[in-house]
Amino acid sequence: MKYCQGPKCHTYRTKDRIRGPKGAKVYQTRRRSSFYYLGGNACSMNCERDWFNKFGEQAVNHFGRIHEPIKLTEENAWFKYRDWRNEGDRFYFANQLSEQRIPITEEQYNNPSLVRP
Ligand SMILES: [Zn+2]
């Protein structure tokens, strides 16, 4: 079990966040075995956004802000392409920059370690 990392989770007034005996009730951060937001760390889109609003800038700076464009060169721009046809599918390596297209076998198409011609 883990707690939602949303810094304002406990301020959203829903019944499932209420804990404690009568007269001493509190709203508290949600706790679940799994979450769908923030990579499994937030209970809702609101909590995900709250986290990012509070920590996003620091996180980007901490893990490495991009100061130069990242480039995808021609030699790394290959992708596999399946041409669906009634008479039998055809398989290709295609390059999204050079627009080259190289026929391959279905076996090559399905081989995950083969990523470029
Ligand atoms: Zn939350």
Side-chain angles (χ1 to χ4, degrees):
M1 298 284 271
K2 56 185 174 180
Y3 289 102
C4 170
Q5 296 302 299
K8 298 196 306 194
C9 189
H10 63 289
T11 68
Y12 296 114
R13 295 186 301 278
T14 62
K15 284 188 174 162
D16 71 296
R17 287 176 169 99
I18 297 173
R19 292 286 183 281
K22 203 166 189 169
K25 292 188 184 303
V26 295
Y27 283 104
Q28 73 174 35
T29 299
R30 275 180 173 155
R31 187 173 180 228
R32 300 277 188 281
S33 54
S34 68
F35 295 115
Y36 295 104
Y37 300 91
L38 197 67
N41 288 297
C43 73
S44 67
M45 209 177 278
N46 273 337
C47 285
E48 179 180 77
R49 188 175 307 112
D50 291 340
W51 187 93
F52 193 84
N53 286 343
K54 188 170 180 184
F55 301 115
E57 183 77 10
Q58 283 171 260
V60 168
N61 288 331
H62 177 78
F63 293 108
R65 178 173 293 279
I66 293 169
H67 293 286
E68 299 290 333
I70 300 170
K71 294 173 182 176
L72 184 69
T73 60
E74 219 174 89
E75 69 173 17
N76 294 316
W78 292 98
F79 63 97
K80 287 176 180 173
Y81 172 75
R82 181 182 198 134
D83 188 7
W84 301 83
R85 289 172 175 260
N86 289 331
E87 67 272 19
D89 297 348
R90 295 182 185 165
F91 304 88
Y92 299 96
F93 262 124
N95 190 294
Q96 66 190 67
L97 288 172
S98 70
E99 293 177 14
Q100 274 180 280
R101 209 167 71 156
I102 299 170
I104 56 174
T105 64
E106 184 169 6
E107 206 170 53
Q108 290 172 317
Y109 178 83
N110 290 321
N111 178 351
S113 61
L114 191 63
V115 294
R116 71 186 66 148

